[in-house]
Amino acid sequence: MKFNTIKGVTILIAMLISLVFETASQSRLFVLIGLSGIIIALSFIRGSSHRRYTWTLFLEIIAVFLLNQYTRFNVNYLYILFNLWILAEIVLYQNVYKVVLLVTSTLMVSTLAFIQSFNYGVNYQLITQAFFVEFILILFSVMLYLYRSYQEEKKRVNRLNEQLIDQNAALKKANDKMQISNEALEVANLEIEKLTKLKERSQFARDLHDTIGHELTGLIMSLEVLKLSCEDETQIRGLQESIDQAREILRAMRDMVSANKDVISHENLYVALKQKMTHFSEQTAIVTKLNFQLFDEPTTEVISDVLYKVVIESMTNTAKHSRAKQFWVSFQSLSDGEILLKIHDDGGSDQALKLGNGLNFIKERVKRLGGEVTFELDIYGFRTTVKVPM
């Protein structure tokens, strides 16, 4: 509507200026005012879209032609301003086909107005003015069309830039996800590698116990039988030394198998926790993360069992008493021979911490192992820290 308002004010001012010089009679004055009013009204009929009722633009062109016919001057140059407004609305808002048709119509009607003025006499000045006015109208139309083309191209480039920015953002997001996936895959590969080594060590320990262990036991028994049947003291001492050496070898082998069994308990703890936390996520929609760094640390099944139950009880408390969306568990070994277990969820609260049955259960279990446990609650989440000696 801003375009129509400026156009209406401009036409009104031009009309008033022209009437000052017209000194028109009352009947002709009404005709001139009426035609000008029609031109202004038609603009507002089309509205802010400027694309409705295209036929009204033809009426405007005819109205300007009639204004020139009813003026007492041969051609009223103020009315040429009306043609400029019509051309602006045509070129800026109509499609290409209508632009060609309406601009051609405007130029033809304007030319016709000059041709009719030749009835009062043809002279060089009038012809020059006619060509000049037509040139101005054509040049104005071309400039408007170039301006419109520039604006449309600018909008197209902006749209392409926005699409490119969106695509770059989507690509960056995809790259970030891929990087996270690669990191997760790398961690999974490391864990698989550790588990594979543990299984190999476990199998080696079992094979060692089942083959060499049995063979050494049989060898010791054979030496014992041989010793009983021997009468030479020197041979008896030699057989006893062989028996002691075989028993030492058997003891060392059993120690090694026992150490591997301790490591295997970590494997069982990791697998059990991984399965339990995965099941917990499926049931509660809480995202769980496990950081396990105890594969190479020897410990007992009792400690593994307590740590397992601490994590399970913490998951139960998180599901029951918080609105957490994430749950983290971390196992580490400390330089002073302790295992550090950290459990953290993001279900924070500003209320004071109260120890219920679940937390007391954790406290008692850890205390039996000679360890210590702390609980922390704030708006950022609930944290459990456990330290137990290996």
Side-chain angles (χ1 to χ4, degrees):
M1 295 299 288
K2 186 177 181 180
F3 178 92
N4 293 332
T5 303
I6 297 175
K7 177 181 177 181
V9 172
T10 306
I11 290 176
L12 183 61
I13 294 172
M15 186 63 195
L16 292 175
I17 293 173
S18 66
L19 290 179
V20 171
F21 296 97
E22 283 288 339
T23 61
S25 62
Q26 187 174 8
S27 59
R28 194 162 61 86
L29 180 63
F30 287 152
V31 171
L32 295 175
I33 294 175
L35 290 172
S36 299
I38 289 173
I39 294 172
I40 296 173
L42 290 175
S43 298
F44 285 95
I45 289 174
R46 285 188 296 276
S48 58
S49 68
H50 303 281
R51 292 181 175 86
R52 298 186 306 168
Y53 312 122
T54 308
W55 53 270
T56 57
L57 287 167
F58 287 103
L59 295 181
E60 279 195 40
I61 295 171
I62 295 173
V64 174
F65 175 76
L66 293 176
L67 280 172
N68 276 307
Q69 294 300 306
Y70 280 92
T71 182
R72 70 184 181 90
F73 300 105
N74 291 339
V75 174
N76 194 327
Y77 291 100
L78 284 171
Y79 297 155
I80 294 174
L81 178 63
F82 296 8
N83 280 329
L84 294 177
W85 274 112
I86 294 173
L87 289 173
E89 192 167 359
I90 292 171
V91 176
L92 293 178
Y93 298 106
Q94 303 300 321
N95 59 46
V96 177
Y97 171 76
K98 292 180 180 179
V99 167
V100 174
L101 179 61
L102 291 169
V103 169
T104 303
S105 301
T106 304
L107 295 176
M108 290 176 62
V109 171
S110 175
T111 303
L112 181 61
F114 276 101
I115 291 175
Q116 289 190 345
S117 68
F118 292 159
N119 294 330
Y120 300 98
V122 179
N123 55 66
Y124 175 78
Q125 182 180 2
L126 189 59
I127 294 174
T128 303
Q129 290 175 346
F131 276 106
F132 178 75
V133 170
E134 293 302 312
F135 174 77
I136 291 297
L137 294 178
I138 293 172
L139 181 63
F140 184 71
S141 300
V142 171
M143 290 177 61
L144 285 176
Y145 185 77
L146 292 176
Y147 172 76
R148 175 181 174 177
S149 300
Y150 167 76
Q151 291 296 326
E152 290 177 350
E153 184 66 19
K154 183 178 179 181
K155 290 179 181 178
R156 190 181 72 84
V157 171
N158 289 337
R159 285 196 300 270
L160 291 175
N161 286 336
E162 291 175 358
Q163 292 176 1
L164 185 60
I165 292 172
D166 293 340
Q167 290 175 356
N168 287 337
L171 184 60
K172 184 178 182 301
K173 189 175 181 180
N175 288 335
D176 292 341
K177 288 183 178 179
M178 184 177 295
Q179 185 176 359
I180 293 173
S181 299
N182 289 337
E183 291 174 356
L185 182 61
E186 185 177 352
V187 172
N189 288 334
L190 291 174
E191 291 178 355
I192 291 172
E193 184 180 352
K194 289 180 179 180
L195 288 174
T196 302
K197 290 180 179 179
L198 286 172
K199 288 181 179 180
E200 290 175 353
R201 290 166 65 180
S202 173
Q203 186 62 40
F204 174 74
R206 292 190 186 98
D207 293 343
L208 192 64
H209 181 270
D210 294 339
T211 56
I212 300 178
H214 291 166
E215 293 295 332
L216 284 173
T217 302
L219 177 61
I220 292 171
M221 293 176 65
S222 298
L223 291 173
E224 291 282 0
V225 172
L226 184 61
K227 175 185 172 184
L228 292 174
S229 62
C230 185
E231 295 179 357
D232 189 343
E233 291 296 328
T234 303
Q235 292 180 350
I236 291 174
R237 285 196 298 271
L239 288 171
Q240 185 61 47
E241 290 177 0
S242 297
I243 291 171
D244 293 340
Q245 187 177 7
R247 283 176 176 169
E248 182 65 24
I249 294 173
L250 183 61
R251 185 192 63 77
M253 185 200 67
R254 285 175 176 170
D255 289 343
M256 184 178 65
V257 172
S258 176
N260 275 278
K261 285 183 178 179
D262 290 339
V263 175
I264 293 167
S265 68
H266 284 313
E267 175 190 349
N268 296 333
L269 174 62
Y270 172 79
V271 172
L273 283 176
K274 197 70 175 177
Q275 293 175 348
K276 196 69 177 178
M277 292 173 70
T278 301
H279 185 63
F280 177 75
S281 294
E282 293 173 352
Q283 286 185 321
T284 62
I286 298 175
V287 178
T288 60
K289 295 181 181 179
L290 175 61
N291 179 23
F292 197 88
Q293 301 179 13
L294 296 181
F295 288 109
D296 297 323
E297 301 296 337
T299 185
T300 64
E301 291 184 3
V302 175
I303 293 177
S304 296
D305 181 65
V306 170
L307 296 177
Y308 175 80
K309 290 179 179 178
V310 169
V311 175
I312 299 302
E313 186 62 37
S314 298
M315 285 195 293
T316 303
N317 288 338
T318 296
K320 285 184 177 180
H321 306 299
S322 76
R323 297 180 179 179
K325 295 183 178 179
Q326 296 192 74
F327 182 86
W328 299 274
V329 177
S330 173
F331 286 89
Q332 294 175 292
S333 60
L334 302 179
S335 59
D336 55 358
E338 289 184 318
I339 294 177
L340 174 64
L341 168 60
K342 290 184 177 180
I343 305 171
H344 179 206
D345 66 50
D346 59 355
S349 174
D350 56 357
Q351 298 180 358
L353 175 63
K354 295 181 180 180
L355 298 184
N357 293 331
L359 298 183
N360 283 322
F361 166 82
I362 293 174
K363 196 172 182 180
E364 292 173 3
R365 289 273 182 166
V366 174
K367 188 176 180 180
R368 289 177 189 174
L369 297 178
E372 57 183 26
V373 59
T374 58
F375 304 107
E376 296 177 89
L377 175 65
D378 54 34
I379 60 174
Y380 301 106
F382 183 72
R383 293 173 294 280
T384 301
T385 304
V386 176
K387 288 183 180 179
V388 294
M390 294 183 191

